[in-house]
Amino acid sequence: MSVVADSPSRSPPPKRVRAESPAAAPAAVDAAAPAAASTAAAPSSSKPAQNKGKNFQQGKGKRKRNRHILPDPYSSGDVLYRDVVDFLGKEYVDEIIAKGDSSEWDAPADLELMSVIELTAGVMTVSGESLSMYEKDGKKWAIVVPFAHPGDKIRAKVFKHDRLCSMADMVEIVEYCDDLRGGEGDRRVNPEAGCKYFGECGGCQLQSVPYAKQLLHKARTVDLAYQRFSGLQGGKVPGILPTIGSPKQWGYRTKITPHFDAPPKWAQRPDQNEEDANDVREWSCRIGFDRKGKPGVLDIEECPIATPVLNAKLIDERQRIKETIWSFKRGATVLLRDSLPAPEPIPTAESPYDPASSTEVAHVAITNHKELVYERVGSFLFSFAAGSFFQNNNSILIPLTEYVKEAIFPPGSTAKRPTHLVDTYCGSGLFGITLSTEFERVAGVEITADSITAAKKNAAMNGLQDKTTWLCGKAEQIFGGLPEQGFAGDHSCVVIDPPRKGCDTPFLEQLLAFKPLTAVYVSCNVHTQARDIGWFITESEKRGEGKWRYELESLRGFDLFPQTAHVESVGVLRLVELN
Ligand SMILES: C[S@@+](CC[C@H](N)C(=O)[O-])C[C@H]1O[C@@H](n2cnc3c(N)ncnc32)[C@H](O)[C@@H]1O
């Protein structure tokens, strides 16, 4: 474990552009960044966050205002706060907050910023950090430290106080607790395995945890999300099923986006004499990922969770950028995407893809956002622009799509069989196309025109053009257009796979009005999923007036991102007629 000495700066990272052309490229959107959910108790809408930026004035008559900013609901900050409350004890926290003197923001007096303290890590947060107890004069306070496991004895440097907790950097693990250790990525056990940047890179959080325990951690995350955010009482949330592991636990990631900063003004250019300018310093170009708890980019030569072809391409890209770095005025992001080589000829509606003809071929790495990527999922071929959305772990896509299929048609069920599938937030058609064999008709809806173009092309490449309809528009407006296409709730099933911010209220309202036989909600943010499913079940009880309602039949995580704390959650909703 490396020693972390500097205090992190809290300033926002500089803007980045794509690395294709150094000049005048547009600012790239970080696809991995969580979208802030916007309301506290209901699915997201266009309303502003209720408590964002709320000010609390400390001390009457004082001119200095102390801004205490609460995290957006369902954000990682909100989830951490819930972890802290559970750790300190809800009764204790309620008591402190009930005083109304904002003392939940006041760290214990002797806990000074930049001080190094000794702790015993208590529990692991949802996002994989440790929480340790700091108690002084009856005041309980949590210390958040990354990379420590429950039971580890550590030294940590406090750099920020927050509500009921302080953030600290890991300085040293003095004594390891073996309970959660011994994973393949634990370099104490396997010095050659895992990632040499673990402990410094902000990308992975759970590498040193054995894989089976990573899966348990993710099942707990799903469980906690429903306890905290669904508003559903005990019996309405089924027991969380074991997390389905990823067939590949390393070398699985088919897309990575390392980034780099432009040379700062003070940096000494290679062609510059030191006498030319005062105050120039040496600067080196770092291409990689954000550092954990420290500002700036961590220089990354390889990423062991990325596929081998991406790691090979990373060497070339790093070389290319280092050679041209002085032409960049702003930082930039590099896209690296794993692809099959373009098939020859490209399958078409007239001559569709034949899975029997496919052979094992060497993959290629694509760096141009507009170039087409090809991926196989089971007996289907997909293509999409490299810069657009597609799931990043191909190795788990057959288990995931097969699971959704079985959830819709449970073996031995006597329930009415849906004949039509509506794939909402369909992207380039992953669920609609892989599940199409079970349905008479499939409709997909998606906000991004390019993805709909890709979905149509994918349907044609797989010979599915006649049984599929792909509609570009907001999912919030789409159910109205479905009857014209022959879709009605009483013979349909809906797959819902929204971005991290979850569904909007208008979407869920339409889903309730459509009243499908089954809905399967797949989500990369279990916290907004819990909120949406909680709302949906509760509303269905009101609207069903004792005649019908939706039940949450099953819940389980899929590990699309081994070694990280992320979990994909699949919730199955079934319409139940009550008389
Ligand atoms: C998590 S991705 C899922 C894509 C696809 N189901 C898959 O697995 O490849 C979410 C998709 O929802 C789309 N999207 C985002 N907001 C939307 C909205 N309001 N209405 C419809 N689609 C939306 C995004 O463009 C993105 O393709």
Side-chain angles (χ1 to χ4, degrees):
M1 179 61 58
S2 63
V3 173
V4 180
D6 301 342
S7 71
S9 118
R10 300 292 108 194
S11 56
K15 285 213 167 127
R16 298 189 176 103
V17 296
R18 290 174 189 163
E20 290 154 14
S21 74
V29 176
D30 180 1
S38 39
T39 62
S44 60
S45 72
S46 54
K47 284 186 227 156
Q50 286 171 342
N51 54 8
K52 194 180 176 189
K54 196 169 172 181
N55 287 339
F56 296 81
Q57 188 150 10
Q58 282 194 323
K60 235 181 173 182
K62 281 188 186 167
R63 285 179 64 206
K64 192 175 146 211
R65 283 173 75 85
N66 200 351
R67 296 189 79 215
H68 291 144
I69 298 174
L70 298 179
D72 285 342
Y74 320 105
S75 65
S76 51
D78 189 18
V79 175
L80 175 64
Y81 177 70
R82 310 284 180 136
D83 284 331
V84 167
V85 171
D86 284 355
F87 181 59
L88 297 179
K90 189 160 179 337
E91 261 180 40
Y92 173 78
V93 171
D94 285 349
E95 223 173 84
I96 300 268
I97 291 177
K99 287 190 206 159
D101 59 0
S102 299
S103 58
E104 75 269 26
W105 295 92
D106 298 335
D110 64 336
L111 191 63
E112 285 176 14
L113 291 180
M114 299 305 133
S115 60
V116 174
I117 51 176
E118 295 204 357
L119 301 161
T120 301
V123 298
M124 190 176 266
T125 66
V126 160
S127 58
E129 292 159 322
S130 68
L131 289 182
S132 305
M133 187 69 79
Y134 190 88
E135 261 186 294
K136 189 79 185 175
D137 302 331
K139 182 161 195 155
K140 293 206 272 181
W141 197 254
I143 313 288
V144 185
V145 189
F147 305 121
H149 290 188
D152 285 350
K153 291 199 178 7
I154 57 175
R155 292 174 68 238
K157 186 172 187 176
V158 180
F159 66 82
K160 181 186 166 187
H161 298 316
D162 209 321
R163 193 184 193 195
L164 295 164
C165 66
S166 299
M167 310 294 163
D169 285 328
M170 170 68 77
V171 174
E172 186 189 5
I173 297 183
V174 181
E175 200 180 311
Y176 288 95
C177 169
D178 279 334
D179 290 357
L180 273 182
R181 295 218 160 245
E184 200 191 325
D186 186 343
R187 293 174 74 84
R188 285 182 322 142
V189 181
N190 307 309
E192 298 307 317
C195 175
K196 61 183 174 192
Y197 305 108
F198 180 65
E200 281 185 278
C201 177
C204 294
Q205 303 80 28
L206 301 183
Q207 271 191 30
S208 53
V209 177
Y211 192 58
K213 293 198 172 165
Q214 291 185 25
L215 299 180
L216 288 177
H217 178 79
K218 295 181 189 199
R220 177 173 166 266
T221 297
V222 177
D223 192 13
L224 285 174
Y226 277 79
Q227 287 178 36
R228 291 168 175 176
F229 298 113
S230 72
L232 297 173
Q233 298 307 315
K236 291 183 187 162
V237 180
I240 311 301
L241 295 168
T243 311
I244 302 290
S246 172
K248 283 188 188 165
Q249 292 148 29
W250 298 94
Y252 65 83
R253 230 190 126 100
T254 51
K255 176 189 171 192
I256 54 170
T257 50
H259 52 257
F260 57 92
D261 292 333
K265 286 204 175 76
W266 50 256
Q268 182 177 7
R269 303 177 69 89
D271 54 359
Q272 192 174 15
N273 271 329
E274 249 182 80
E275 300 91 59
D276 285 356
N278 294 324
D279 201 23
V280 288
R281 276 167 280 156
E282 277 191 16
W283 173 82
S284 65
C285 167
R286 293 192 300 255
I287 305 155
F289 303 123
D290 288 342
R291 306 170 80 98
K292 179 72 185 171
K294 285 176 92 179
V297 179
L298 182 68
D299 199 39
I300 298 275
E301 289 174 335
E302 58 171 342
C303 173
I305 64 168
T307 63
V309 73
L310 295 192
N311 274 306
K313 187 70 176 174
L314 184 58
I315 297 172
D316 302 345
E317 285 298 290
R318 285 171 55 82
Q319 175 79 19
R320 179 180 71 81
I321 291 157
K322 289 197 173 197
E323 280 166 13
T324 55
I325 189 64
W326 295 97
S327 62
F328 282 86
K329 299 279 172 283
R330 295 167 71 188
T333 297
V334 190
L335 172 71
L336 293 155
R337 194 131 206 181
D338 187 309
S339 173
L340 294 167
E344 285 184 20
I346 307 278
T348 59
E350 294 70 39
S351 174
Y353 174 65
D354 174 11
S357 70
S358 79
T359 49
E360 276 307 310
V361 281
H363 287 217
V364 295
I366 288 180
T367 54
N368 181 337
H369 285 242
K370 293 193 176 141
E371 203 173 327
L372 288 181
V373 170
Y374 289 85
E375 269 196 39
R376 262 195 304 265
V377 181
S379 53
F380 299 97
L381 182 66
F382 289 85
S383 105
F384 49 90
S388 64
F389 181 89
F390 201 77
Q391 305 290 355
N392 287 338
N393 178 354
N394 182 276
S395 80
I396 200 170
L397 294 185
I398 296 177
L400 176 64
T401 51
E402 285 296 314
Y403 179 79
V404 173
K405 194 189 289 178
E406 276 209 5
I408 299 169
F409 304 107
S413 166
T414 52
K416 186 175 173 187
R417 243 184 114 78
T419 54
H420 286 50
L421 170 68
V422 184
D423 180 7
T424 60
Y425 306 90
C426 69
S428 51
L430 175 69
F431 289 104
I433 288 172
T434 53
L435 305 184
S436 61
T437 47
E438 309 301 313
F439 295 94
E440 288 170 18
R441 299 263 325 143
V442 173
V445 56
E446 161 65 48
I447 200 172
T448 311
D450 285 351
S451 291
I452 282 296
T453 307
K456 282 182 186 162
K457 192 177 156 205
N458 289 333
M461 276 204 309
N462 291 287
L464 296 168
Q465 62 284 352
D466 294 337
K467 67 149 64 171
T468 58
T469 306
W470 304 96
L471 304 163
C472 183
K474 293 198 173 189
E476 299 87 300
Q477 293 157 7
I478 205 58
F479 286 86
L482 286 174
E484 292 81 1
Q485 304 283 339
F487 285 76
D490 66 1
H491 59 238
S492 294
C493 146
V494 176
V495 171
I496 309 156
D497 184 15
R500 290 189 68 81
K501 68 177 181 181
C503 302
D504 297 75
T505 311
F507 172 86
L508 291 173
E509 289 276 5
Q510 287 183 76
L511 183 64
L512 260 184
F514 187 64
K515 217 176 142 197
L517 297 170
T518 302
V520 182
Y521 190 142
V522 180
S523 174
C524 56
N525 182 345
V526 65
H527 310 105
T528 52
Q529 183 198 48
R531 172 202 66 194
D532 293 349
I533 286 187
W535 183 93
F536 190 75
I537 299 243
T538 308
E539 283 301 307
S540 79
E541 284 170 356
K542 287 187 206 153
R543 298 187 198 188
E545 295 178 338
K547 299 192 186 81
W548 60 272
R549 66 166 183 250
Y550 280 90
E551 286 181 1
L552 181 53
E553 190 174 273
S554 65
L555 261 180
R556 93 177 322 149
F558 270 75
D559 192 15
L560 265 66
F561 299 102
Q563 320 307 337
T564 77
H566 296 287
V567 60
E568 191 88 3
S569 168
V570 182
V572 180
L573 293 154
R574 196 83 63 189
L575 176 64
V576 179
E577 302 285 353
L578 297 170
N579 50 20

